[in-house]
Amino acid sequence: MTLVLANTETKEKVIKEFDIKKDDLETGIKTLKEWIQTQPHLPDCLNDKELEAVLVMNKNSIERTKKSIDTYWSARNRCPEFYTDRDPCLPEIRQSEEAVKYFPLPELTPEGYRVDVFYVSDLDSKHFDVKSTMKRVLAIADIRRKEETYCSGDYIIYDCQHFTISHLSKFTPTLASKALFCTQEAVSTRMKGIFLINSNKYVESVVNIFKPLMKEKIANRIHIFSGDHTELYKFIPQDILPNEYGGKAGSRDELSKAWLKRIESEREWLIKEGSMAADESKRPADSLVKDSAMFGVVGNFKKLSFD
């Protein structure tokens, strides 16, 4: 699967929106490379393009970018379930694609947002495996980090049509906490909107549990629609959406399988890169990233009940 990257006009929009100057980016990349050399616990394998991408997502803030890079590598230790044994050709990872369709859409929105679609396609929850699905989601995020520099942020579509309480039960409190941590903290992206379509009776209850654990900006950008995909047209151009949502991007199945093939084509890189992590034994005392309360969701998650 090939992403249509930002054209000159979109790049200019992103640069203007984030108030970024080219010279500042060049200086920032140099500063980050020097900083990484002073951090014995961090792998030194991000190239200039990747560093530029993280800088852009952090609006060229050096301190925020440092923390983002450190969090990215420390997540490998905090959430090994999602980062080890991530060979995309493993049967369980291939099986996860049959149960859950997940893919970024090829085209950006006019504002420069990338649109991601998450759709549970198998009503039988026994085929739904959180760990394998998260491995695939984070592998795709890693490939995007390699390729995509200028992007204003992400719109995420969750199609809840086939999502049941049985699927939800697969999220143990710890897995739910770690999934939230990785998607909110470890992945360098800006959540511009989260859209839940075909929402059912308990989706709002679930969202209300997670909202207090989210960054306030992200929580305020959640939109829950009991209606179908037509609700998305208020935010996303119809043409760039999957065929099932009235668009022209291709079917959900085609798009999801294309991304599975894409991560399989990056198999050697993912296996090698996936083995890298922060070396906590070498972390400096003044490190930007400290052990945080990642699992505050656990108590709230256990309180969930359904009518």
Side-chain angles (χ1 to χ4, degrees):
M1 171 57 70
T2 302
L3 293 171
V4 178
L5 302 179
N7 57 26
T8 301
E9 182 181 356
T10 303
K11 286 181 181 179
E12 290 176 354
K13 284 183 180 179
V14 174
I15 288 171
K16 183 177 180 180
E17 179 186 356
F18 293 170
D19 192 25
I20 295 173
K21 296 178 176 61
K22 185 178 179 181
D23 289 346
D24 291 341
L25 279 176
E26 292 174 353
T27 301
I29 291 169
K30 182 175 183 293
T31 300
L32 289 173
K33 291 169 77 171
E34 292 173 350
W35 170 75
I36 289 172
Q37 294 301 316
T38 69
Q39 304 298 303
H41 64 299
L42 296 181
D44 183 11
C45 60
L46 298 181
N47 61 35
D48 286 10
K49 184 177 180 180
E50 291 171 298
L51 290 173
E52 183 178 0
V54 186
L55 266 172
V56 169
M57 274 298 159
N58 285 283
K59 296 186 176 181
N60 204 40
S61 166
I62 297 296
E63 291 309 302
R64 281 166 54 185
T65 303
K66 288 178 180 178
K67 186 174 181 180
S68 181
I69 291 170
D70 203 336
T71 301
Y72 173 77
W73 290 118
S74 65
R76 308 303 179 89
N77 296 312
R78 298 183 182 191
C79 310
E81 303 94 329
F82 303 154
Y83 288 103
T84 56
D85 299 324
R86 69 192 311 213
D87 180 347
C89 294
L90 287 172
E92 57 267 31
I93 294 182
R94 286 177 168 171
Q95 174 62 45
S96 78
E97 194 281 324
E98 294 294 330
V100 177
K101 306 301 178 185
Y102 171 76
F103 49 90
L105 291 174
E107 298 278 353
L108 292 166
T109 70
E111 300 85 1
Y113 302 154
R114 183 68 64 189
V115 181
D116 309 292
V117 179
F118 192 101
Y119 170 65
V120 176
S121 53
D122 192 338
L123 279 167
D124 190 344
S125 64
K126 73 180 182 182
H127 299 136
F128 176 50
D129 181 71
V130 176
K131 294 178 185 178
S132 298
T133 300
M134 282 300 299
K135 286 180 183 182
R136 184 161 50 93
V137 168
L138 294 171
I140 291 172
D142 281 346
I143 290 171
R144 281 187 58 192
R145 177 176 55 79
K146 285 205 308 175
E147 290 188 358
E148 192 161 47
T149 305
Y150 289 90
C151 173
S152 294
D154 278 47
Y155 277 156
I156 301 181
I157 299 169
Y158 289 99
D159 190 331
C160 306
Q161 184 176 12
H162 294 153
F163 191 75
T164 68
I165 191 170
S166 296
H167 289 97
L168 179 63
S169 68
K170 296 294 187 76
F171 284 91
T172 66
T174 297
L175 284 179
S177 301
K178 290 187 175 185
L180 185 63
F181 171 75
C182 286
T183 54
Q184 185 172 252
E185 302 291 344
V187 176
S188 294
T189 190
R190 301 178 65 83
M191 298 285 191
K192 304 301 288 189
I194 300 174
F195 308 106
L196 292 88
I197 61 173
N198 296 311
S199 177
N200 49 43
K201 65 179 181 179
Y202 58 85
V203 167
E204 189 168 351
S205 297
V206 175
V207 171
N208 286 337
I209 285 176
F210 283 97
K211 265 189 173 181
L213 303 159
M214 296 178 176
K215 294 177 180 177
E216 185 176 358
K217 282 185 178 180
I218 296 176
N220 291 337
R221 291 169 181 169
I222 296 175
H223 306 269
I224 303 175
F225 301 121
S226 58
D228 63 12
H229 59 270
T230 56
E231 302 281 2
L232 298 171
Y233 302 164
K234 302 171 187 175
F235 304 90
I236 303 168
Q238 181 177 344
D239 282 357
I240 75 171
L241 291 167
N243 298 353
E244 292 88 347
Y245 301 152
K248 300 177 181 178
S251 72
R252 290 177 305 210
D253 188 61
E254 291 169 341
L255 293 164
S256 184
K257 281 184 166 51
W259 268 104
L260 179 63
K261 288 182 180 178
R262 178 62 202 281
I263 63 173
E264 288 178 350
S265 73
E266 301 275 1
R267 179 175 181 267
E268 290 186 12
W269 178 81
L270 282 168
I271 292 172
K272 178 182 177 182
E273 192 268 351
S275 67
M276 296 180 181
D279 185 342
E280 299 300 333
S281 68
K282 296 180 180 179
R283 181 179 292 279
D286 60 351
S287 174
L288 292 170
V289 174
K290 309 294 183 184
D291 287 336
S292 59
M294 283 173 40
F295 307 111
V297 69
V298 173
N300 288 334
F301 197 86
K302 288 179 178 178
K303 296 175 185 176
L304 181 60
S305 62
F306 303 97
D307 297 329

